Amino acid sequence: MSFKFHIGAALCAALGFSALSAAPALAEGIMFHDAYAITARPGAPSGAAFMAIMNATGHDDRLLGVASAIAKKVELHTHVADPNGVMKMTRIDGGIALPAGATHLMQRGGDHVMFMGLNGPLEQGADVVVTFTFEKAGDVEVTIPVDLERKAEHASGDH
């Protein structure tokens, strides 16, 4: 092996190490608690995920989007009242602000992750991998258990 090879390998290792050590430092303080995914009924074409997202990074951040291979489309959604007071689910545009030290609840009847066009059924006890994209923390991959037996009164923030 040549001297150039060793220098190149050392340089790649050093750059790779510094990139890897810098990225998790921001994401280390983004924490997910009590996460679970559901469908409204067996075989439903859509599903949702709920959780509490905590920002302990010391920096304000913003959740910009979500992605997962389990559905054709994955979006941040919320419920809003129309002029007649009827609640409707809608996509969240512009992301969700997550101030330093704050916790944002993703819960039934409020903000949540929406899976549309599921590629297969969500099975009780299975895991769903979701990538959350933050403005500063970058991509954070979270494994979320499917809990089809969970009742609404046990949703994040309700206890």
Side-chain angles (χ1 to χ4, degrees), residues 81-115:
D82 72 9
N84 299 318
V86 176
M87 294 302 286
K88 293 187 175 191
M89 191 170 18
T90 184
R91 182 172 53 110
I92 296 174
D93 291 320
I96 297 171
L98 198 58
T103 297
H104 187 84
L105 297 179
M106 305 286 273
Q107 59 189 349
R108 296 178 194 218
D111 297 348
H112 59 278
V113 175
M114 188 74 196
F115 306 117

Side-chain angles (χ1 to χ4, degrees), residues 100-143:
T103 297
H104 187 84
L105 297 179
M106 305 286 273
Q107 59 189 349
R108 296 178 194 218
D111 297 348
H112 59 278
V113 175
M114 188 74 196
F115 306 117
M116 296 169 289
L118 289 170
N119 296 323
L122 293 181
E123 303 283 341
Q124 175 67 23
D127 288 328
V128 173
V129 177
V130 179
T131 302
F132 292 78
T133 301
F134 293 88
E135 188 173 73
K136 294 180 182 164
D139 289 346
V140 179
E141 191 173 274
V142 180
T143 300

